[in-house]
């Protein structure tokens, strides 16, 4: 495990994306999101995604210099086509547009189609908070890994959502999660660190729990294992509610923009996202919502026990990693070295 400074990691990601043909501003935007994600302790969705992006690029599904198109632009709603470009820059643009609409109309939303993987959703929900809004983000995902309640084969992605709200005198409250019990790439992140998977995350086609993260990741990508629903298999512990949330995310992310069904299409993924911003001062004073959230946090902490609120673990990680560096396991380091070499980009980590 090597500790890498955020600046070096940023430079490395930009160098690879630029070597692949990304314009500088897009490479910078994607690197900003990926490094923030690694700083936040979300080891699954930052630099660890580069190998997957290389696969997408090599198969022609990721077009680094694509220019997005505005398909619809109404007062409170817009639809963008990312035209197979990088997910991160279009996601930033979409959330900023949603927030600008919210500042005019109280609420604004943007749906995106033809996009690609854009990393951790919380980043974009927090952007809305920076603009004085509540932020809400959903995305469809590429690989079918989760079954429907009552079914056994993978038919849905991990379909995540994120919600962020300002809290007076504190960092925003950020709920950032898959609607399956865990994200696909967190299974891989466990494997890269040699950490066994908790039982109840991934089951093989015989229904047996898998504990090796790298093996589980490969089986999941081949459709030979499933990630359990949020709430577990069946209905006893609420798995049907995770299933329902996943369907909601799929519809918001895909139907509104004309994106695809779960899983990739033959010649393109046509991945969809959804971004919504609500101006916190639309109906009450600008202080009301942040004060309410701060009081709510105090209330949920008021009983015995140690309560973290969503977003806090990531803030704690950010503080620590900004000071100490980002831990990158050896297997991932070698993976990034390979990506850099094949791209003809310098390998900067540890140099
Ligand atoms: N782009 C994609 O296609 C995609 C798909 C799936 C997931 N993801 C990303 O993967 C990441 C991980 O997803 P996940 O479902 O494995 O997340 P997770 O199970 O790690 O849950 C994360 C959420 O739980 C909160 N949390 C953690 N510990 C807590 C505690 N003790 N008390 C209260 N709240 C706590 C965190 O603040 C965060 O909001 C997310 O950033 C998500 O956006 C991306
Ligand atoms: O989009 C994907 O293929 C997977 C997603 O990033 C996840 O980790 O669940």
């Amino acid at each position: 495990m090597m500790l890498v400074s955020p600046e070096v990691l940023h430079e490395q990601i930009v160098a690879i994306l630029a070597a692949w043909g990304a314009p500088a501003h897009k490479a910078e935007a994607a690197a900003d999101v990926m490094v923030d994600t690694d700083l936040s302790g979300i080891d699954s969705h930052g630099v660890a995604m580069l190998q997957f992006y290389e696969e997408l690029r090599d198969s022609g599904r990721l077009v680094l210099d694509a220019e997005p198109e505005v398909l619809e632009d109404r007062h409170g709603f817009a639809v963008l086509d990312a035209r197979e470009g990088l997910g991160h820059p279009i996601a930033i643009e979409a959330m900023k547009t949603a927030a600008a609409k919210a500042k005019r109309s109280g609420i604004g939303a943007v749906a995106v189609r033809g996009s690609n993987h854009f990393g951790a959703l919380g980043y974009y929900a927090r952007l809305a908070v920076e603009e004085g809004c509540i932020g809400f983000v959903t995305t469809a995902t590429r690989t079918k890994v989760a079954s429907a309640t009552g079914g056994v084969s993978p038919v849905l992605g991990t379909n995540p959502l994120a919600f962020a709200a300002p809290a007076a005198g504190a960092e925003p409250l950020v709920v950032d999660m898959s609607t399956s019990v865990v994200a696909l790439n967190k299974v891989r992140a466990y494997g890269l660190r040699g950490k066994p998977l908790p039982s109840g995350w991934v089951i093989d086609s015989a229904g047996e729990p898998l504990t090796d993260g790298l093996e589980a990741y490969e089986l999941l990508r081949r459709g030979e294992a499933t990630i359990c629903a949020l709430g577990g298999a069946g209905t006893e512990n609420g798995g049907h509610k995770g299933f329902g949330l996943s369907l909601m995310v799929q519809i918001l992310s895909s139907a509104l923009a004309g994106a695809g069904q779960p899983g990739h299409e033959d010649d393109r993924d046509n991945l969809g996202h959804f971004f919504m911003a609500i101006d916190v001062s639309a109906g009450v004073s600008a202080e009301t919502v942040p004060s309410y959230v701060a009081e709510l946090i105090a209330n949920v902490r008021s009983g015995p026990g140690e309560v973290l609120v969503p977003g806090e673990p990531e803030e704690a990680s950010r503080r620590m990693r900004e000071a100490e560096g980002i831990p990158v396991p050896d297997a991932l380091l070698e993976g990034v070295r390979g990506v850099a070499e094949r791209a003809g980009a310098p390998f900067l980590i540890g140099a």
Side-chain angles (χ1 to χ4, degrees):
M1 189 83 83
M2 175 181 266
L3 284 173
V4 181
S5 83
E7 293 77 17
V8 168
L9 200 59
H10 195 279
E11 219 184 314
Q12 180 67 75
I13 295 169
V14 169
I16 290 172
L17 295 176
W20 284 347
H25 64 285
K26 292 192 189 210
E28 291 282 336
D32 288 353
V33 179
M34 290 163 79
V35 172
D36 182 84
T37 301
D38 280 312
L39 282 170
S40 305
I42 307 173
D43 293 320
S44 48
H45 281 77
V47 67
M49 292 304 307
L50 275 177
Q51 287 158 278
F52 179 62
Y53 298 158
E54 183 187 43
E55 277 179 40
L56 291 177
R57 174 182 178 263
D58 289 352
S59 64
R61 292 168 187 278
L62 174 59
V63 180
L64 276 297
D65 59 355
E67 275 310 317
E69 193 183 344
V70 179
L71 300 177
E72 184 69 56
D73 190 9
R74 300 200 183 183
H75 207 67
F77 182 63
V79 179
L80 308 178
D81 187 337
R83 298 167 104 184
E84 323 306 325
L86 268 171
H88 314 76
I90 189 90
I92 292 172
E93 181 184 334
M95 186 46 104
K96 286 191 171 165
T97 304
K101 290 184 181 304
K103 284 294 166 189
R104 282 201 302 269
S105 313
I107 186 162
V110 176
V112 180
R113 76 179 190 204
S115 191
N116 264 301
H117 191 271
F118 65 19
L121 283 72
Y123 184 92
Y124 312 107
R126 281 190 284 123
L127 276 186
V129 172
E130 285 171 23
E131 305 291 332
C133 296
I134 279 177
F136 179 67
V137 185
T138 69
T139 185
T141 66
R142 181 165 186 269
T143 315
K144 290 192 278 189
V145 291
S147 59
T149 301
V152 288
S153 57
V155 290
L156 286 164
T158 52
N159 289 4
L161 60 83
F163 169 92
E171 294 298 331
L173 183 145
V174 185
V175 180
D176 177 17
M177 49 170 257
S178 334
T179 54
S180 50
V181 74
V182 67
L184 171 62
N185 284 290
K186 194 160 165 184
V187 170
R188 174 172 178 253
Y190 266 53
L192 285 170
R193 284 158 186 78
K195 281 166 73 175
L197 302 180
S199 73
W201 275 17
V202 185
I203 48 176
D204 67 15
S205 39
E208 293 301 319
L210 292 168
T211 52
D212 180 321
L214 292 179
E215 182 199 1
Y217 176 74
E218 291 309 326
L219 291 173
L220 284 164
R221 291 197 62 193
R222 295 205 300 266
E224 293 169 19
T226 49
I227 296 183
C228 297
L230 190 57
T235 56
E236 199 173 12
N237 292 311
H240 54 297
K241 293 184 258 186
F243 172 43
L245 282 173
S246 178
L247 290 173
M248 176 193 86
V249 165
Q250 185 70 36
I251 293 165
L252 283 174
S253 309
S254 305
L256 289 170
Q261 288 286 331
H264 57 85
E265 297 174 0
D266 284 346
D267 54 345
R268 66 198 288 251
D269 292 340
N270 196 10
L271 199 71
H273 320 304
F274 177 71
F275 303 84
M276 185 168 70
I278 306 169
D279 179 3
V280 296
S281 60
V284 287
S285 80
E287 291 76 39
T288 302
V289 170
S291 302
Y292 183 94
V293 175
E295 194 179 336
L296 177 63
I297 292 172
N299 282 337
V300 298
R301 285 198 217 276
S302 60
E306 205 174 310
V307 174
L308 292 173
V309 292
E312 259 188 332
E314 289 75 20
E315 276 309 319
S317 168
R318 205 173 281 124
R319 280 194 298 276
M320 195 172 81
R321 291 186 176 187
E322 267 164 2
E324 293 175 6
I326 295 165
V328 180
D330 295 344
L332 177 55
L333 207 63
E334 285 317 303
V336 175
R337 187 199 295 276
V339 174
E341 276 171 12
R342 288 185 291 279
F347 182 63
L348 303 166
I349 302 177

